[in-house]
Each structure stands twice: as structure tokens, then as C-alpha cells.
Amino acid sequence: MVIIALVYFNTTYSSGTTADGVLSASAMSDPHGVWKYGCDASPNAPVLVNVETKLGVNYNAGHWFHMSELIMTQHATLRKQGKLVNSSAIYVNFDKEDFIADLNAITRLIVYLGTAAPDINVKEMRFLSSKSLTQAFLHDHLQRSHNMLLDFSKMKTTEVEWIDMKESSVPTSARFTKPMIKRSDSPSAGGGKECVHATHNFKARWPTPQRGSWFPEDADVTTFRQKLRNACPRDKDMQKKHEKRTPYKLVIYQRDLSRKIMNEAEAIQLLRAALPADLWEISVLMHSSKRSPCELAHMLNDVDVLVTPHGFQSMLLLFLPRPALLFEVFPYRYWKRGYGPLSKEYGVIHDGVMSPGTKWDTRFFLSFVKTSFCMTSKFCRGYAREQDVLLTQQGVNRLVRSLQTDFFAHPAMQSSAHAQPVIAPLPKDRPFVHPRDFLYPLLSQEEKRPNCYDCG
């Protein structure tokens, strides 16, 4: 029997209970017919979980980090409370109209990872944005269990989409990528009626949980990685296509719109000069919002080093093995630990380097402030973040040192036949000087070291 869970993301409160929290008559059903309380629920009835979202911040449904901070952080809390959804189908309602239109393949996966139990095979997920359903879920209502009958035939096609996760009908490479809309009133086509069992309420935390406290226990990481394997089971064809051809593998993950590594060809040359070609495979992967997260999981599951500009795509560390190195290239005058604490608790090594300024205006104006000051100013941070980045010789040197001191020193690497590969002698660190940067002679000694990771 297919068990269904409805996960609801809510921020709206309305009247509908008496002073003692008991449901009033007006709160028992929806005048539009979308829902009503009181249906008969079997022991294997669908499960409804309520989640509130807006508590000081507004989340972008298409932003990998925003959705991770909102939903994925719930994994450890729900696991400890025994409230992870133990169902083969998960329904998710968002309180914001058209929210589901902004979801992408990765953020749909993130919803799954934050709510599903690790020992269940989820076969279907539905994403909803029904105003009528939003009004139904009051905080007081969900202090105790209720059964709710949902009538999907009363919802608009824009209010419902779903993804099929059955291995028999959807290949791993297509999971989470192609949502379908409600086509008829048949339950199998997104319509019809479902009786769900509303059990509990959870919500995003404010202030938001800091990276470094998302997986407080080892079991949190173990069960989370198990859910990822459940969501993206091994595909032999994809595994063969992306398998490692040398002992070690380095991937440069390029952003497609902004904050790109603008000297990609030069960066690859510097990396090839530092890492022996017979031991290291170096490749570039361009970001695509249409790519399946399960394909990314196969591409990155055996990667040893992931190099990328600082940004949302650093959440790809979730697909990296233990140990691996996430190496971020930060824009000039923009630096924070960011993904470092999350990487550490997840079993991934983190390091990075600050890029020189890549535009004449940022090189000029930001040369008058220190990084520590810029990071305290919302305007300065936003201005600095807009730049592309450069991976220079100094950045490659830092990456190699991190390999030597952290990656190859990891206990799991000591048994490797190539635990201490020969690395070419590192050229002397030198500041990057733009050929036309006439301002460079005017800068102080500190400012001539703009690509250090944590200076200023």
C-alpha cells in the first residue's frame, strides 16, 4: 500500500479556534471545497506535517542555500524527535502563491532530504501552493492530530505539481527534474480526494541555524547520506560515464551567470603544473539549472577536489565523498567562513582563497577598505559579490598545501597506494597584478596581497 505524507510550509495564521484551542465550526471545512476535517483514516493513512517558513527572512524557492537553510536543517531535529516522514509519498504545500513555479530540481531534492525518513522508498512527491489549504493550517490546530480530506480536483493546475520517483517509470537521471501538473480529477493524475493524517507542526528557526550546527551528531550525517542514496540510486550507465579514470579527480564547477572564474584556461594550466597528470584528472563542469541532482550525485561522488567560486553552488559539497576538499574562490574583499563549518561537520575539508579585484572600479574603491570592514557593510558585501574571480598562482599554491596538510593527512587516505603523490615544487607566491592596473603602485603592502584567504 502506498503511504502518503503531506508536508505543509505555512506562515499565515487566521481565526478558527476557540480560546481553549478547540476547532470552531467555521474551521472544520473550506468553503471552496479544497479540504475538510474529519475523514476516516486507517493506520496507514497519509501523513500531514505542517511547516512554517517566514520567521525574519524570505526564502527563494530556487536558491539552493536558502532552501537548505529553511528545510534541510530540519533533518537533525526531526530525526531526534522521531518525526521524519516515514511515507512513500510526500506532499508539500507552500504558503506563498506561485512558490512552486520557482522550485528547481535541486531544491525539490532538498525538500525531500529535510523531511523524509532514511529507511523508506519514496515513490512520489507533490508540491502545492493552495491559498485555501494555507488558511486551514493554524498553529493551534496542529498541537494535536487531525484527519483531513484534500480534494485536489478543486485546486488550480498552477497550485499542484508532482514528481514520479518510482524506479520502474522514471530513470535516476530524470528524478526531480520534470514535474507534472494536475491533468484530471483522477488521483493518479493529480486530482481526486486524499485523506491525510495531520500529526505535528515544525517551522524554520529564527535566527537561522548557523552552518556548523546542521548535523550535530554523527548519526545525522549517516542517515542524511542514506537518504541521498535512496533519492539517487546507483545508475550503472551514469556511473560508468563519470567514473574516475585516474587515482584523483579535481572538478572546477563554473557558475553560468555571475561570479565566474574568468581565467579558467590559465587556472587549469596552473593546476596541471602543480598536480601530476598521471595521478590527477582535471575537468570543468558548467552549472545548469536543468541538470538532474542525481546526475550531479554520480558526477561528484568520487571527486577529491571541488573548486568553485563562493556561492549557492557550494552546497554541492553534499554530494562529495569523505574525505574530499571543497575549495572556494572568494571575490575581492568578500570573505567569510560560510560553508566551512558545514563542510567540517559533514566530513568534507574546506579551504579557499580571495581573488584579486577583477573590475577597475572594485579594484579602486575596495582598495580603500579592509575585508573585515567590507563584511560588516551590507552595501559593500553586495558590491564585492558582483565581481568575477581569478584563481591565481597563490590560490593554486594554497590549494596544494591544503591537499598536503589536510586531505592526504586524513586517516582514510593513509591506506591509499597514492597517499603521498609527487607534487611539483610550488612557485613562489606573488601578488596578482593586472596589466593595466595603474593603481597598483599606490596600494599599501597589505593591499598588495589581495588574494589571501583570511587577511584584512
Side-chain angles (χ1 to χ4, degrees), residues 9-33:
F9 290 76
N10 168 55
T11 62
T12 304
Y13 297 89
S14 62
S15 61
T17 57
T18 61
D20 60 358
V22 178
L23 289 171
S24 65
S26 62
M28 296 302 292
S29 63
D30 169 37
H32 302 288

mmCIF file with all atom_site columns, all heavy atoms in Angstrom, residues 9-33:
data_model
loop_
_atom_site.group_PDB
_atom_site.id
_atom_site.type_symbol
_atom_site.label_atom_id
_atom_site.label_alt_id
_atom_site.label_comp_id
_atom_site.label_asym_id
_atom_site.label_entity_id
_atom_site.label_seq_id
_atom_site.pdbx_PDB_ins_code
_atom_site.Cartn_x
_atom_site.Cartn_y
_atom_site.Cartn_z
_atom_site.occupancy
_atom_site.B_iso_or_equiv
_atom_site.pdbx_formal_charge
_atom_site.auth_seq_id
_atom_site.auth_comp_id
_atom_site.auth_asym_id
_atom_site.auth_atom_id
_atom_site.pdbx_PDB_model_num
ATOM 1   N N   . PHE A 1 9  ? 4.174   23.950 4.291  1.00 0.00 ? 9  PHE A N   1
ATOM 2   C CA  . PHE A 1 9  ? 5.004   25.076 4.686  1.00 0.00 ? 9  PHE A CA  1
ATOM 3   C C   . PHE A 1 9  ? 4.109   26.293 4.834  1.00 0.00 ? 9  PHE A C   1
ATOM 4   O O   . PHE A 1 9  ? 3.563   26.790 3.855  1.00 0.00 ? 9  PHE A O   1
ATOM 5   C CB  . PHE A 1 9  ? 6.091   25.337 3.641  1.00 0.00 ? 9  PHE A CB  1
ATOM 6   C CG  . PHE A 1 9  ? 7.106   24.256 3.636  1.00 0.00 ? 9  PHE A CG  1
ATOM 7   C CD1 . PHE A 1 9  ? 6.821   23.035 3.059  1.00 0.00 ? 9  PHE A CD1 1
ATOM 8   C CD2 . PHE A 1 9  ? 8.322   24.434 4.240  1.00 0.00 ? 9  PHE A CD2 1
ATOM 9   C CE1 . PHE A 1 9  ? 7.742   22.029 3.074  1.00 0.00 ? 9  PHE A CE1 1
ATOM 10  C CE2 . PHE A 1 9  ? 9.258   23.419 4.254  1.00 0.00 ? 9  PHE A CE2 1
ATOM 11  C CZ  . PHE A 1 9  ? 8.969   22.223 3.669  1.00 0.00 ? 9  PHE A CZ  1
ATOM 12  N N   . ASN A 1 10 ? 3.955   26.798 6.061  1.00 0.00 ? 10 ASN A N   1
ATOM 13  C CA  . ASN A 1 10 ? 2.929   27.797 6.335  1.00 0.00 ? 10 ASN A CA  1
ATOM 14  C C   . ASN A 1 10 ? 3.453   28.944 7.172  1.00 0.00 ? 10 ASN A C   1
ATOM 15  O O   . ASN A 1 10 ? 4.251   28.755 8.070  1.00 0.00 ? 10 ASN A O   1
ATOM 16  C CB  . ASN A 1 10 ? 1.766   27.120 7.075  1.00 0.00 ? 10 ASN A CB  1
ATOM 17  C CG  . ASN A 1 10 ? 0.782   28.123 7.654  1.00 0.00 ? 10 ASN A CG  1
ATOM 18  O OD1 . ASN A 1 10 ? 0.264   28.958 6.931  1.00 0.00 ? 10 ASN A OD1 1
ATOM 19  N ND2 . ASN A 1 10 ? 0.547   28.039 8.948  1.00 0.00 ? 10 ASN A ND2 1
ATOM 20  N N   . THR A 1 11 ? 2.965   30.157 6.901  1.00 0.00 ? 11 THR A N   1
ATOM 21  C CA  . THR A 1 11 ? 3.272   31.294 7.751  1.00 0.00 ? 11 THR A CA  1
ATOM 22  C C   . THR A 1 11 ? 2.029   32.067 8.122  1.00 0.00 ? 11 THR A C   1
ATOM 23  O O   . THR A 1 11 ? 2.097   33.001 8.899  1.00 0.00 ? 11 THR A O   1
ATOM 24  C CB  . THR A 1 11 ? 4.222   32.274 7.035  1.00 0.00 ? 11 THR A CB  1
ATOM 25  O OG1 . THR A 1 11 ? 3.570   32.773 5.865  1.00 0.00 ? 11 THR A OG1 1
ATOM 26  C CG2 . THR A 1 11 ? 5.507   31.605 6.650  1.00 0.00 ? 11 THR A CG2 1
ATOM 27  N N   . THR A 1 12 ? 0.875   31.726 7.558  1.00 0.00 ? 12 THR A N   1
ATOM 28  C CA  . THR A 1 12 ? -0.317  32.523 7.737  1.00 0.00 ? 12 THR A CA  1
ATOM 29  C C   . THR A 1 12 ? -1.167  31.973 8.873  1.00 0.00 ? 12 THR A C   1
ATOM 30  O O   . THR A 1 12 ? -1.434  30.785 8.939  1.00 0.00 ? 12 THR A O   1
ATOM 31  C CB  . THR A 1 12 ? -1.160  32.519 6.442  1.00 0.00 ? 12 THR A CB  1
ATOM 32  O OG1 . THR A 1 12 ? -0.336  32.970 5.384  1.00 0.00 ? 12 THR A OG1 1
ATOM 33  C CG2 . THR A 1 12 ? -2.368  33.429 6.577  1.00 0.00 ? 12 THR A CG2 1
ATOM 34  N N   . TYR A 1 13 ? -1.613  32.857 9.761  1.00 0.00 ? 13 TYR A N   1
ATOM 35  C CA  . TYR A 1 13 ? -2.497  32.483 10.848 1.00 0.00 ? 13 TYR A CA  1
ATOM 36  C C   . TYR A 1 13 ? -3.853  33.144 10.618 1.00 0.00 ? 13 TYR A C   1
ATOM 37  O O   . TYR A 1 13 ? -3.944  34.269 10.145 1.00 0.00 ? 13 TYR A O   1
ATOM 38  C CB  . TYR A 1 13 ? -1.942  32.936 12.193 1.00 0.00 ? 13 TYR A CB  1
ATOM 39  C CG  . TYR A 1 13 ? -0.635  32.289 12.537 1.00 0.00 ? 13 TYR A CG  1
ATOM 40  C CD1 . TYR A 1 13 ? 0.561   32.860 12.135 1.00 0.00 ? 13 TYR A CD1 1
ATOM 41  C CD2 . TYR A 1 13 ? -0.587  31.088 13.241 1.00 0.00 ? 13 TYR A CD2 1
ATOM 42  C CE1 . TYR A 1 13 ? 1.768   32.261 12.429 1.00 0.00 ? 13 TYR A CE1 1
ATOM 43  C CE2 . TYR A 1 13 ? 0.620   30.497 13.542 1.00 0.00 ? 13 TYR A CE2 1
ATOM 44  C CZ  . TYR A 1 13 ? 1.786   31.077 13.148 1.00 0.00 ? 13 TYR A CZ  1
ATOM 45  O OH  . TYR A 1 13 ? 2.989   30.487 13.442 1.00 0.00 ? 13 TYR A OH  1
ATOM 46  N N   . SER A 1 14 ? -4.938  32.451 10.949 1.00 0.00 ? 14 SER A N   1
ATOM 47  C CA  . SER A 1 14 ? -6.260  33.034 10.834 1.00 0.00 ? 14 SER A CA  1
ATOM 48  C C   . SER A 1 14 ? -7.105  32.546 11.995 1.00 0.00 ? 14 SER A C   1
ATOM 49  O O   . SER A 1 14 ? -6.764  31.590 12.688 1.00 0.00 ? 14 SER A O   1
ATOM 50  C CB  . SER A 1 14 ? -6.913  32.643 9.507  1.00 0.00 ? 14 SER A CB  1
ATOM 51  O OG  . SER A 1 14 ? -7.087  31.241 9.440  1.00 0.00 ? 14 SER A OG  1
ATOM 52  N N   . SER A 1 15 ? -8.228  33.220 12.214 1.00 0.00 ? 15 SER A N   1
ATOM 53  C CA  . SER A 1 15 ? -9.116  32.801 13.285 1.00 0.00 ? 15 SER A CA  1
ATOM 54  C C   . SER A 1 15 ? -9.773  31.499 12.901 1.00 0.00 ? 15 SER A C   1
ATOM 55  O O   . SER A 1 15 ? -10.047 31.244 11.743 1.00 0.00 ? 15 SER A O   1
ATOM 56  C CB  . SER A 1 15 ? -10.166 33.877 13.525 1.00 0.00 ? 15 SER A CB  1
ATOM 57  O OG  . SER A 1 15 ? -10.934 34.077 12.362 1.00 0.00 ? 15 SER A OG  1
ATOM 58  N N   . GLY A 1 16 ? -10.062 30.670 13.861 1.00 0.00 ? 16 GLY A N   1
ATOM 59  C CA  . GLY A 1 16 ? -10.697 29.395 13.563 1.00 0.00 ? 16 GLY A CA  1
ATOM 60  C C   . GLY A 1 16 ? -10.706 28.474 14.756 1.00 0.00 ? 16 GLY A C   1
ATOM 61  O O   . GLY A 1 16 ? -11.153 27.348 14.677 1.00 0.00 ? 16 GLY A O   1
ATOM 62  N N   . THR A 1 17 ? -10.190 28.970 15.888 1.00 0.00 ? 17 THR A N   1
ATOM 63  C CA  . THR A 1 17 ? -10.225 28.182 17.106 1.00 0.00 ? 17 THR A CA  1
ATOM 64  C C   . THR A 1 17 ? -10.856 28.996 18.214 1.00 0.00 ? 17 THR A C   1
ATOM 65  O O   . THR A 1 17 ? -10.846 30.234 18.192 1.00 0.00 ? 17 THR A O   1
ATOM 66  C CB  . THR A 1 17 ? -8.813  27.774 17.542 1.00 0.00 ? 17 THR A CB  1
ATOM 67  O OG1 . THR A 1 17 ? -8.017  28.953 17.701 1.00 0.00 ? 17 THR A OG1 1
ATOM 68  C CG2 . THR A 1 17 ? -8.171  26.880 16.508 1.00 0.00 ? 17 THR A CG2 1
ATOM 69  N N   . THR A 1 18 ? -11.390 28.292 19.195 1.00 0.00 ? 18 THR A N   1
ATOM 70  C CA  . THR A 1 18 ? -11.908 28.967 20.373 1.00 0.00 ? 18 THR A CA  1
ATOM 71  C C   . THR A 1 18 ? -10.756 29.310 21.283 1.00 0.00 ? 18 THR A C   1
ATOM 72  O O   . THR A 1 18 ? -9.602  28.983 20.998 1.00 0.00 ? 18 THR A O   1
ATOM 73  C CB  . THR A 1 18 ? -12.910 28.043 21.098 1.00 0.00 ? 18 THR A CB  1
ATOM 74  O OG1 . THR A 1 18 ? -12.211 26.864 21.499 1.00 0.00 ? 18 THR A OG1 1
ATOM 75  C CG2 . THR A 1 18 ? -14.056 27.672 20.174 1.00 0.00 ? 18 THR A CG2 1
ATOM 76  N N   . ALA A 1 19 ? -11.035 29.959 22.388 1.00 0.00 ? 19 ALA A N   1
ATOM 77  C CA  . ALA A 1 19 ? -9.977  30.406 23.296 1.00 0.00 ? 19 ALA A CA  1
ATOM 78  C C   . ALA A 1 19 ? -9.163  29.249 23.830 1.00 0.00 ? 19 ALA A C   1
ATOM 79  O O   . ALA A 1 19 ? -7.979  29.398 24.135 1.00 0.00 ? 19 ALA A O   1
ATOM 80  C CB  . ALA A 1 19 ? -10.586 31.207 24.446 1.00 0.00 ? 19 ALA A CB  1
ATOM 81  N N   . ASP A 1 20 ? -9.806  28.074 23.971 1.00 0.00 ? 20 ASP A N   1
ATOM 82  C CA  . ASP A 1 20 ? -9.071  26.928 24.507 1.00 0.00 ? 20 ASP A CA  1
ATOM 83  C C   . ASP A 1 20 ? -8.415  26.095 23.421 1.00 0.00 ? 20 ASP A C   1
ATOM 84  O O   . ASP A 1 20 ? -7.911  25.007 23.668 1.00 0.00 ? 20 ASP A O   1
ATOM 85  C CB  . ASP A 1 20 ? -10.000 26.031 25.330 1.00 0.00 ? 20 ASP A CB  1
ATOM 86  C CG  . ASP A 1 20 ? -11.158 25.492 24.507 1.00 0.00 ? 20 ASP A CG  1
ATOM 87  O OD1 . ASP A 1 20 ? -11.250 25.848 23.317 1.00 0.00 ? 20 ASP A OD1 1
ATOM 88  O OD2 . ASP A 1 20 ? -11.963 24.717 25.058 1.00 0.00 ? 20 ASP A OD2 1
ATOM 89  N N   . GLY A 1 21 ? -8.399  26.607 22.173 1.00 0.00 ? 21 GLY A N   1
ATOM 90  C CA  . GLY A 1 21 ? -7.698  25.923 21.102 1.00 0.00 ? 21 GLY A CA  1
ATOM 91  C C   . GLY A 1 21 ? -8.508  24.874 20.387 1.00 0.00 ? 21 GLY A C   1
ATOM 92  O O   . GLY A 1 21 ? -8.003  24.192 19.508 1.00 0.00 ? 21 GLY A O   1
ATOM 93  N N   . VAL A 1 22 ? -9.809  24.733 20.707 1.00 0.00 ? 22 VAL A N   1
ATOM 94  C CA  . VAL A 1 22 ? -10.652 23.744 20.051 1.00 0.00 ? 22 VAL A CA  1
ATOM 95  C C   . VAL A 1 22 ? -11.130 24.295 18.712 1.00 0.00 ? 22 VAL A C   1
ATOM 96  O O   . VAL A 1 22 ? -11.465 25.468 18.584 1.00 0.00 ? 22 VAL A O   1
ATOM 97  C CB  . VAL A 1 22 ? -11.865 23.389 20.933 1.00 0.00 ? 22 VAL A CB  1
ATOM 98  C CG1 . VAL A 1 22 ? -12.775 22.386 20.216 1.00 0.00 ? 22 VAL A CG1 1
ATOM 99  C CG2 . VAL A 1 22 ? -11.387 22.820 22.264 1.00 0.00 ? 22 VAL A CG2 1
ATOM 100 N N   . LEU A 1 23 ? -11.173 23.443 17.678 1.00 0.00 ? 23 LEU A N   1
ATOM 101 C CA  . LEU A 1 23 ? -11.612 23.881 16.356 1.00 0.00 ? 23 LEU A CA  1
ATOM 102 C C   . LEU A 1 23 ? -13.050 24.378 16.399 1.00 0.00 ? 23 LEU A C   1
ATOM 103 O O   . LEU A 1 23 ? -13.937 23.724 16.932 1.00 0.00 ? 23 LEU A O   1
ATOM 104 C CB  . LEU A 1 23 ? -11.503 22.719 15.360 1.00 0.00 ? 23 LEU A CB  1
ATOM 105 C CG  . LEU A 1 23 ? -10.099 22.298 14.949 1.00 0.00 ? 23 LEU A CG  1
ATOM 106 C CD1 . LEU A 1 23 ? -10.183 21.010 14.145 1.00 0.00 ? 23 LEU A CD1 1
ATOM 107 C CD2 . LEU A 1 23 ? -9.434  23.372 14.146 1.00 0.00 ? 23 LEU A CD2 1
ATOM 108 N N   . SER A 1 24 ? -13.273 25.558 15.827 1.00 0.00 ? 24 SER A N   1
ATOM 109 C CA  . SER A 1 24 ? -14.633 26.073 15.719 1.00 0.00 ? 24 SER A CA  1
ATOM 110 C C   . SER A 1 24 ? -15.296 25.466 14.491 1.00 0.00 ? 24 SER A C   1
ATOM 111 O O   . SER A 1 24 ? -14.640 24.884 13.630 1.00 0.00 ? 24 SER A O   1
ATOM 112 C CB  . SER A 1 24 ? -14.594 27.598 15.599 1.00 0.00 ? 24 SER A CB  1
ATOM 113 O OG  . SER A 1 24 ? -13.971 27.980 14.392 1.00 0.00 ? 24 SER A OG  1
ATOM 114 N N   . ALA A 1 25 ? -16.621 25.641 14.379 1.00 0.00 ? 25 ALA A N   1
ATOM 115 C CA  . ALA A 1 25 ? -17.350 25.066 13.250 1.00 0.00 ? 25 ALA A CA  1
ATOM 116 C C   . ALA A 1 25 ? -16.867 25.628 11.927 1.00 0.00 ? 25 ALA A C   1
ATOM 117 O O   . ALA A 1 25 ? -16.785 24.926 10.921 1.00 0.00 ? 25 ALA A O   1
ATOM 118 C CB  . ALA A 1 25 ? -18.851 25.318 13.422 1.00 0.00 ? 25 ALA A CB  1
ATOM 119 N N   . SER A 1 26 ? -16.511 26.930 11.912 1.00 0.00 ? 26 SER A N   1
ATOM 120 C CA  . SER A 1 26 ? -16.070 27.559 10.670 1.00 0.00 ? 26 SER A CA  1
ATOM 121 C C   . SER A 1 26 ? -14.725 27.046 10.207 1.00 0.00 ? 26 SER A C   1
ATOM 122 O O   . SER A 1 26 ? -14.348 27.224 9.051  1.00 0.00 ? 26 SER A O   1
ATOM 123 C CB  . SER A 1 26 ? -15.994 29.085 10.855 1.00 0.00 ? 26 SER A CB  1
ATOM 124 O OG  . SER A 1 26 ? -15.036 29.408 11.846 1.00 0.00 ? 26 SER A OG  1
ATOM 125 N N   . ALA A 1 27 ? -13.981 26.415 11.131 1.00 0.00 ? 27 ALA A N   1
ATOM 126 C CA  . ALA A 1 27 ? -12.651 25.912 10.770 1.00 0.00 ? 27 ALA A CA  1
ATOM 127 C C   . ALA A 1 27 ? -12.672 24.453 10.360 1.00 0.00 ? 27 ALA A C   1
ATOM 128 O O   . ALA A 1 27 ? -11.640 23.879 10.053 1.00 0.00 ? 27 ALA A O   1
ATOM 129 C CB  . ALA A 1 27 ? -11.694 26.081 11.952 1.00 0.00 ? 27 ALA A CB  1
ATOM 130 N N   . MET A 1 28 ? -13.845 23.821 10.352 1.00 0.00 ? 28 MET A N   1
ATOM 131 C CA  . MET A 1 28 ? -13.934 22.402 10.062 1.00 0.00 ? 28 MET A CA  1
ATOM 132 C C   . MET A 1 28 ? -13.844 22.085 8.580  1.00 0.00 ? 28 MET A C   1
ATOM 133 O O   . MET A 1 28 ? -13.563 20.960 8.199  1.00 0.00 ? 28 MET A O   1
ATOM 134 C CB  . MET A 1 28 ? -15.244 21.832 10.629 1.00 0.00 ? 28 MET A CB  1
ATOM 135 C CG  . MET A 1 28 ? -15.328 21.904 12.149 1.00 0.00 ? 28 MET A CG  1
ATOM 136 S SD  . MET A 1 28 ? -13.998 21.039 13.003 1.00 0.00 ? 28 MET A SD  1
ATOM 137 C CE  . MET A 1 28 ? -14.406 19.347 12.589 1.00 0.00 ? 28 MET A CE  1
ATOM 138 N N   . SER A 1 29 ? -14.127 23.068 7.702  1.00 0.00 ? 29 SER A N   1
ATOM 139 C CA  . SER A 1 29 ? -14.081 22.813 6.271  1.00 0.00 ? 29 SER A CA  1
ATOM 140 C C   . SER A 1 29 ? -13.782 24.085 5.518  1.00 0.00 ? 29 SER A C   1
ATOM 141 O O   . SER A 1 29 ? -13.894 25.195 6.058  1.00 0.00 ? 29 SER A O   1
ATOM 142 C CB  . SER A 1 29 ? -15.418 22.219 5.792  1.00 0.00 ? 29 SER A CB  1
ATOM 143 O OG  . SER A 1 29 ? -16.472 23.145 5.992  1.00 0.00 ? 29 SER A OG  1
ATOM 144 N N   . ASP A 1 30 ? -13.406 23.913 4.261  1.00 0.00 ? 30 ASP A N   1
ATOM 145 C CA  . ASP A 1 30 ? -13.068 25.031 3.392  1.00 0.00 ? 30 ASP A CA  1
ATOM 146 C C   . ASP A 1 30 ? -14.273 25.361 2.511  1.00 0.00 ? 30 ASP A C   1
ATOM 147 O O   . ASP A 1 30 ? -14.813 24.465 1.857  1.00 0.00 ? 30 ASP A O   1
ATOM 148 C CB  . ASP A 1 30 ? -11.861 24.639 2.538  1.00 0.00 ? 30 ASP A CB  1
ATOM 149 C CG  . ASP A 1 30 ? -11.598 25.631 1.420  1.00 0.00 ? 30 ASP A CG  1
ATOM 150 O OD1 . ASP A 1 30 ? -11.787 26.827 1.655  1.00 0.00 ? 30 ASP A OD1 1
ATOM 151 O OD2 . ASP A 1 30 ? -11.217 25.178 0.319  1.00 0.00 ? 30 ASP A OD2 1
ATOM 152 N N   . PRO A 1 31 ? -14.697 26.624 2.458  1.00 0.00 ? 31 PRO A N   1
ATOM 153 C CA  . PRO A 1 31 ? -15.856 26.962 1.621  1.00 0.00 ? 31 PRO A CA  1
ATOM 154 C C   . PRO A 1 31 ? -15.641 26.683 0.145  1.00 0.00 ? 31 PRO A C   1
ATOM 155 O O   . PRO A 1 31 ? -16.595 26.529 -0.611 1.00 0.00 ? 31 PRO A O   1
ATOM 156 C CB  . PRO A 1 31 ? -16.063 28.458 1.889  1.00 0.00 ? 31 PRO A CB  1
ATOM 157 C CG  . PRO A 1 31 ? -14.756 28.943 2.423  1.00 0.00 ? 31 PRO A CG  1
ATOM 158 C CD  . PRO A 1 31 ? -14.195 27.789 3.188  1.00 0.00 ? 31 PRO A CD  1
ATOM 159 N N   . HIS A 1 32 ? -14.399 26.580 -0.275 1.00 0.00 ? 32 HIS A N   1
ATOM 160 C CA  . HIS A 1 32 ? -14.101 26.286 -1.675 1.00 0.00 ? 32 HIS A CA  1
ATOM 161 C C   . HIS A 1 32 ? -14.034 24.785 -1.950 1.00 0.00 ? 32 HIS A C   1
ATOM 162 O O   . HIS A 1 32 ? -13.840 24.367 -3.087 1.00 0.00 ? 32 HIS A O   1
ATOM 163 C CB  . HIS A 1 32 ? -12.781 26.940 -2.075 1.00 0.00 ? 32 HIS A CB  1
ATOM 164 C CG  . HIS A 1 32 ? -12.768 28.425 -1.892 1.00 0.00 ? 32 HIS A CG  1
ATOM 165 N ND1 . HIS A 1 32 ? -13.476 29.281 -2.703 1.00 0.00 ? 32 HIS A ND1 1
ATOM 166 C CD2 . HIS A 1 32 ? -12.150 29.207 -0.965 1.00 0.00 ? 32 HIS A CD2 1
ATOM 167 C CE1 . HIS A 1 32 ? -13.279 30.541 -2.297 1.00 0.00 ? 32 HIS A CE1 1
ATOM 168 N NE2 . HIS A 1 32 ? -12.484 30.508 -1.241 1.00 0.00 ? 32 HIS A NE2 1
ATOM 169 N N   . GLY A 1 33 ? -14.142 23.987 -0.896 1.00 0.00 ? 33 GLY A N   1
ATOM 170 C CA  . GLY A 1 33 ? -14.160 22.548 -1.074 1.00 0.00 ? 33 GLY A CA  1
ATOM 171 C C   . GLY A 1 33 ? -12.808 21.899 -1.214 1.00 0.00 ? 33 GLY A C   1
ATOM 172 O O   . GLY A 1 33 ? -12.716 20.702 -1.522 1.00 0.00 ? 33 GLY A O   1
#
